[in-house]
Amino acid sequence: MTATAPVTAPPAPSSLWRHRDFMTLWTGQTLSETGSAVSTLAIPLIAVSVLNASTFSVSMLQAAGMAAYLVVALPAGVIVDRMRKRRLMVACNLIRAAAMGTIPLAFLAGELTMTQMWLVAALCGICSVFFEVAYQCYLPAVVRSDQLLDANGKLSTTYSVAQVAGIGLGGGLVAAFGAARTVLIDASSFVVSALSLLLIRRSEPEPTVPQGPRPRLRDDISAGLAFAFRHPVLRKIVAASATLNVFSQVIYALSVIYLVRVLRLTPAEVAVQLALGTAGGIAGGLASGRLARRIGTARIIWVSLLGLGWTMLLVPLAEPGWSVAFYTFGMTGFAALCAIYNAAQISYRQQMCPPELLGRLTAGVRWIVWGALPVGAVLGGVLGTWLGVRETLVVAAVGVWASGLWVYFSPLRHMRDFSPPRLEPITQS
């Protein structure tokens, strides 16, 4: 029998704008994030205006979704490493679509309850954890290693664009069709995202199966965390990300109070300020690839934090009147910082971690840095009550800037670029 040579994929285009598979992936995820932003507005409105839910019941909707990041993130990494990522992502999208679709159906049947809303939020939260871990592990199978930073930069714009477009779109749809029917947009977006994944031509490598008896779940989970904490750079990146999340959440927790009670803005003006702030994330995400090539793919990690983090000190300088612009410039700079930093540090993690461990590492890192968010929210409330809103914003702004010191005082300070990773051939499906 004559052996046939394996079929390899044609070289990936040098520009991601001409990379069919990446553009398909990016488009599907952008539409999905936009649909989720629509539901961010519609779901609480259903609870308040349709079900007359209490303040506690409405807050539990957010808690039900976020709890998944603390409860299932670590085992999710183990499962992602053992499975085909694209198959798992498609399944998560279809489950989320079905779950969200039950809300308008129950509403039309007159059977919608807060219990159902909580269950849907929890189920969608669990699927989101699995999807996001798999998503970061799947990207290296779609683009070349030297394209990862540019790809992550473009993907980081997705959230910012979705927040601007999705919330605005959601407001119009809720006014036209009602909040419950508007949730169908989110359900449909998950189906579109699943279809986009199925249209990607490149196949991913087979999951690595360990030789001998399969390790215990606890040992598999600890392997990802151990890799992060033993790595001289990754442990500093995790510390910087957690610190950034704590102090940024302090600012977010007090932003609306600051804008309304201190700067005396109207609700419409508050919405404009929040939308303008996300513009920095769009610009930063799109520019991250070019900036990294000019400054250095490793150096940009600490340069983004220390070079843009100071802009947050402008936020507490704002006063009623024209100097509200200080808040706008500060939050715009912060959004750009987050987009550039996240694209760079995620790309570093994807290149430095062995592929068979990437899911567990990603899940472990997300468990730590997302776990910092509720700490920041509580800290914002405590300090805001004790010190005052403006004074707390000063403390938080210094904390955001100082988070960059973790990575500055690390081996990254002496590196310009990542070490070239070992490239694996990508087979054509």
Side-chain angles (χ1 to χ4, degrees), residues 1-55:
M1 181 179 295
T2 302
T4 58
V7 179
T8 58
S14 58
S15 171
L16 290 179
W17 295 106
R18 296 192 297 272
H19 194 302
R20 177 195 176 276
D21 286 339
F22 173 75
M23 292 303 295
T24 302
L25 179 70
W26 189 21
T27 301
Q29 183 62 5
T30 300
L31 292 174
S32 176
E33 290 282 3
T34 303
S36 295
V38 169
S39 285
T40 299
L41 177 66
I43 293 294
L45 285 176
I46 294 172
V48 173
S49 61
V50 175
L51 300 178
N52 295 317
S54 66
T55 301

Side-chain angles (χ1 to χ4, degrees), residues 400-418:
V400 166
W401 178 84
S403 65
L405 297 176
W406 285 106
V407 282
Y408 180 75
F409 291 107
S410 79
L412 276 180
R413 185 177 49 170
H414 307 292
M415 299 166 56
R416 185 188 188 278
D417 296 292
F418 303 151

Side-chain angles (χ1 to χ4, degrees), residues 56-379:
F56 177 77
S57 295
V58 175
S59 66
M60 287 300 294
L61 279 173
Q62 179 74 5
M66 291 300 296
Y69 288 93
L70 296 176
V71 176
V72 302
L74 292 177
V78 177
I79 295 171
V80 167
D81 278 338
R82 295 176 180 176
M83 293 185 64
R84 291 267 191 167
K85 280 66 173 176
R86 178 164 62 168
R87 185 179 302 165
L88 177 61
M89 291 158 65
V90 169
C92 288
N93 272 331
L94 295 179
I95 292 172
R96 288 189 290 184
M100 296 299 292
T102 65
I103 292 177
L105 290 177
F107 168 75
L108 293 174
E111 300 292 337
L112 185 61
T113 64
M114 280 304 298
T115 299
Q116 179 182 343
M117 299 278 283
W118 293 327
L119 290 174
V120 169
L123 180 58
C124 288
I126 292 170
C127 289
S128 294
V129 171
F130 278 93
F131 183 92
E132 290 167 14
V133 172
Y135 192 74
Q136 290 188 12
C137 299
Y138 179 62
L139 186 61
V142 178
V143 302
R144 297 194 313 259
S145 293
D146 62 325
Q147 295 175 318
L148 275 173
L149 200 149
D150 193 17
N152 280 310
K154 287 178 169 56
L155 289 168
S156 72
T157 66
T158 296
Y159 179 78
S160 297
V161 172
Q163 291 302 300
V164 176
I167 293 177
L169 177 64
L173 291 172
V174 168
F177 303 107
R181 293 181 180 87
T182 298
V183 174
L184 283 174
I185 299 295
D186 192 12
S188 301
S189 72
F190 287 129
V191 175
V192 172
S193 180
L195 290 175
S196 73
L197 288 166
L198 295 173
L199 291 174
I200 293 174
R201 293 173 179 173
R202 291 180 182 269
S203 62
E204 60 183 299
E206 287 282 351
T208 302
V209 179
Q211 299 296 322
R214 175 168 288 182
R216 293 178 300 173
L217 179 63
R218 184 177 62 184
D219 294 335
D220 261 344
I221 289 174
S222 63
L225 291 171
F227 184 88
F229 290 132
R230 290 171 184 167
H231 195 283
V233 174
L234 283 177
R235 65 170 176 256
K236 294 297 185 71
I237 290 177
V238 172
S241 299
T243 303
L244 181 66
N245 275 1
V246 167
F247 287 107
S248 64
Q249 197 63 27
V250 170
I251 293 171
Y252 285 130
L254 299 178
S255 283
V256 173
I257 296 174
Y258 182 58
L259 291 170
V260 173
R261 295 181 181 174
V262 179
L263 302 185
R264 298 196 289 274
L265 300 185
T266 66
E269 290 169 334
V270 170
V272 170
Q273 286 295 324
L274 297 179
L276 288 174
T278 61
I282 298 171
L286 293 176
S288 61
R290 291 194 302 273
L291 287 173
R293 286 189 292 271
R294 177 169 297 184
I295 297 173
T297 55
R299 189 183 296 160
I300 192 67
I301 294 178
W302 63 264
V303 167
S304 60
L305 291 170
L306 297 179
L308 287 172
W310 68 268
T311 61
M312 291 302 288
L313 292 169
L314 297 174
V315 170
L317 297 180
E319 296 284 354
W322 67 268
S323 65
V324 169
F326 283 122
Y327 178 90
T328 307
F329 289 136
M331 295 304 291
T332 300
F334 175 68
L337 174 163
C338 290
I340 297 168
Y341 169 74
N342 282 328
Q345 61 94 5
I346 289 171
S347 299
Y348 182 87
R349 192 166 71 227
Q350 289 168 333
Q351 293 190 52
M352 294 301 108
C353 181
E356 66 273 11
L357 191 61
L358 185 55
R360 283 165 285 173
L361 174 64
T362 300
V365 170
R366 292 182 73 87
W367 181 70
I368 295 171
V369 300
W370 280 76
L373 294 176
V375 174
V378 173
L379 183 63

